[in-house]
Amino acid sequence: MVVNMGIRLLSGNSPDMLREAWAPVACAYSCALATCVLSGVYATVIFTLTKMYSMTVIGNYKDAQFAEFFQETQKYREAGFWAFCASLGSFAFAFVTFFLLKIRGWPGITGFTLGVAIAVKAMLDFRGIYRRAGNILR
């Protein structure tokens, strides 16, 4: 879903809009969209493969092998989680930057600043939830 939103946000602007924008803003926007899409694809692949193989093992009544597989894939699932968080965070940044690109002047700057503050708060909260979940699951 996040990947789709990133792609739609990319297609929602014209190349002229980016060329006319201040270069650092256009670059930050482009990098955020690339991060959104690529990290979202990574997370999707990791979780899809993990689920597919888990369901296959469980479906074949191989509980011991499932426990082993689950343990051995922990680092990949953690990387997938962080990639998902990066995808969400970069989408949020791209969204507020798009707002800045579309609405010029103080209204755009104000919306961008408020949006970045909310996105940073959300990412810090995601990190806190992850830490608490990690303590429970270990």
Side-chain angles (χ1 to χ4, degrees):
M1 182 172 75
V2 178
V3 172
N4 185 32
M5 291 186 304
I7 292 170
R8 287 184 172 273
L9 192 58
L10 180 63
S11 64
N13 58 44
S14 68
D16 292 335
M17 183 183 78
L18 289 177
R19 277 194 288 272
E20 292 170 3
W22 187 43
V25 173
C27 183
Y29 175 75
S30 299
C31 289
L33 280 178
T35 301
C36 171
V37 172
L38 295 175
S39 60
V41 168
Y42 175 82
T44 301
V45 169
I46 291 296
F47 290 126
T48 300
L49 289 175
T50 302
K51 181 181 178 186
M52 183 179 66
Y53 291 128
S54 295
M55 299 296 283
T56 300
V57 171
I58 290 171
N60 289 318
Y61 305 103
K62 296 181 178 182
D63 294 344
Q65 288 87 346
F66 172 74
E68 181 181 333
F69 174 76
F70 196 74
Q71 184 66 32
E72 289 179 5
T73 59
Q74 178 180 350
K75 68 180 178 181
Y76 304 113
R77 289 181 285 111
E78 284 183 15
F81 173 82
W82 287 115
F84 178 67
C85 288
S87 184
L88 287 174
S90 59
F91 173 76
F93 183 77
F95 180 78
V96 297
T97 305
F98 184 71
F99 187 78
L100 181 65
L101 292 170
K102 286 288 194 180
I103 301 173
R104 305 290 175 144
W106 285 109
I109 293 169
T110 304
F112 172 79
T113 304
L114 183 61
V116 167
I118 292 169
V120 168
K121 170 73 170 114
M123 294 310 291
L124 292 173
D125 288 351
F126 293 161
R127 186 175 179 191
I129 290 168
Y130 174 77
R131 285 187 176 162
R132 284 175 180 74
N135 292 336
I136 293 169
L137 297 174
R138 289 185 186 148

